[in-house]
Amino acid sequence: MTNTQKIALVTGGAQGIGFACAEALAEDGFKIILADIQEDVVQAAAATLGNGTAAYTCDMGDSKQILAMFDRIEAEHGPVHCLVNNAGIANPSDFLELSEEQFRQVIDINLTGTFIALQRAAKSMVKHNIQGSVVNMSSINAQVAIPSIAAYCASKGGAMQLTKVAALALAKNGIRVNAVGPGSIDTAMMAGVNANPEAMKNVLSRTPLGRIGVPREIGDTVAFLASEKASYITGETIYVDGGRLGLNYTC
């Protein structure tokens, strides 16, 4: 076991990619704290993970809730050594019909919430002289785009740049900040695609490895970035996408 007694906070940790990140980090010896807006689901997830996993209910689109959550965590468990900013929503909509309210909701959770949590975690790391790690969840849609998820694409591009900025700002404190950019992963967000053979055919036609990924493949990448094995990596986004971003066209 490595990193014993260190604390890892995973937002959006009740299921899917977030829970897979928690599993991988737990196997590396971290004490896990899950945060999610779904109280019953996050409590059940913590019970499933076991080993003293704690669960907190938090709306990552509400800065006051985020800050209050960190205060509670520190009072009850101590400062966080690793933060995984995973919580996010997509709000798909036709571009011309996307409302300002819908756009802001995605940005508030996916980008502003990521910033608030990252900054708050970093302040505590600096205060306690913790050379910690932050992993933000970006997406291949930080680089490419889908018209029906305009706000999501904008938020993930922002998360990629925020990662670079924070990495530069915190390097002097020994705090590393990286991101992971998933491609098509078998989660609830892909349920519609999974149920549509034609849509799945289109996805796989753009995925050189010929399959969609599973949440644990993202979790293992996050755990690597949080570990000493990645001690000289900061400010980077690792894309876990089956080769999609590298695809031009084939003859």
Side-chain angles (χ1 to χ4, degrees):
M1 299 282 278
T2 59
N3 302 314
T4 305
Q5 303 302 313
K6 292 183 178 179
I7 296 172
L9 168 63
V10 183
T11 71
Q15 58 192 341
I17 288 174
F19 187 75
C21 292
E23 285 185 311
L25 289 166
E27 289 175 10
D28 278 354
F30 281 94
K31 174 181 174 60
I32 304 299
I33 297 177
L34 303 177
D36 203 282
I37 196 170
Q38 305 173 87
E39 182 174 4
D40 292 344
V41 182
V42 74
Q43 292 289 346
T48 297
L49 200 56
N51 295 319
T53 299
Y56 290 79
T57 305
C58 183
D59 178 354
M60 293 302 294
D62 184 331
S63 60
K64 291 182 179 179
Q65 287 193 36
I66 296 170
L67 296 175
M69 176 182 67
F70 271 92
D71 289 344
R72 283 187 58 203
I73 289 171
E74 291 181 5
E76 296 170 8
H77 304 280
V80 168
H81 298 74
C82 172
L83 167 66
V84 181
N85 266 318
N86 170 72
I89 60 172
N91 263 0
S93 174
D94 178 270
F95 182 80
L96 295 178
E97 300 299 323
L98 180 66
S99 69
E100 179 181 348
E101 181 181 5
Q102 288 174 304
F103 188 89
R104 287 184 181 277
Q105 183 185 30
V106 175
I107 297 298
D108 284 348
I109 295 171
N110 296 11
L111 184 55
T112 307
T114 291
F115 164 71
I116 296 296
L118 192 165
Q119 186 188 63
R120 177 61 179 79
K123 285 181 178 180
S124 183
M125 290 176 187
V126 171
K127 177 181 177 181
H128 295 280
N129 196 30
I130 294 171
Q131 295 187 345
S133 175
V134 177
V135 184
N136 298 321
M137 201 59 64
S138 185
S139 166
I140 60 167
N141 291 296
Q143 299 279 0
V144 293
I146 298 175
S148 61
I149 50 172
Y152 182 83
C153 293
S155 71
K156 295 305 184 178
M160 177 185 68
Q161 284 295 91
L162 177 62
T163 297
K164 293 180 181 180
V165 169
L168 296 176
L170 299 171
K172 65 181 180 292
N173 302 107
I175 299 168
R176 296 183 301 105
V177 186
N178 291 290
V180 174
S184 297
I185 308 298
D186 190 11
T187 65
M189 196 175 285
M190 273 203 70
V193 174
N194 290 342
N196 185 332
E198 190 61 30
M200 180 59 72
K201 180 180 177 181
N202 288 338
V203 168
L204 296 184
S205 74
R206 298 293 302 171
T207 308
L209 285 184
R211 65 174 178 84
I212 60 173
V214 297
R216 186 53 189 258
E217 290 173 306
I218 306 302
D220 286 340
T221 306
V222 167
F224 163 70
L225 288 172
S227 76
E228 288 301 311
K229 294 179 181 179
S231 58
Y232 201 52
I233 301 175
T234 194
E236 298 295 331
T237 299
I238 297 179
Y239 292 99
V240 186
D241 65 354
R244 182 183 298 183
L245 286 180
L247 181 64
N248 188 348
Y249 63 88
T250 58
C251 298

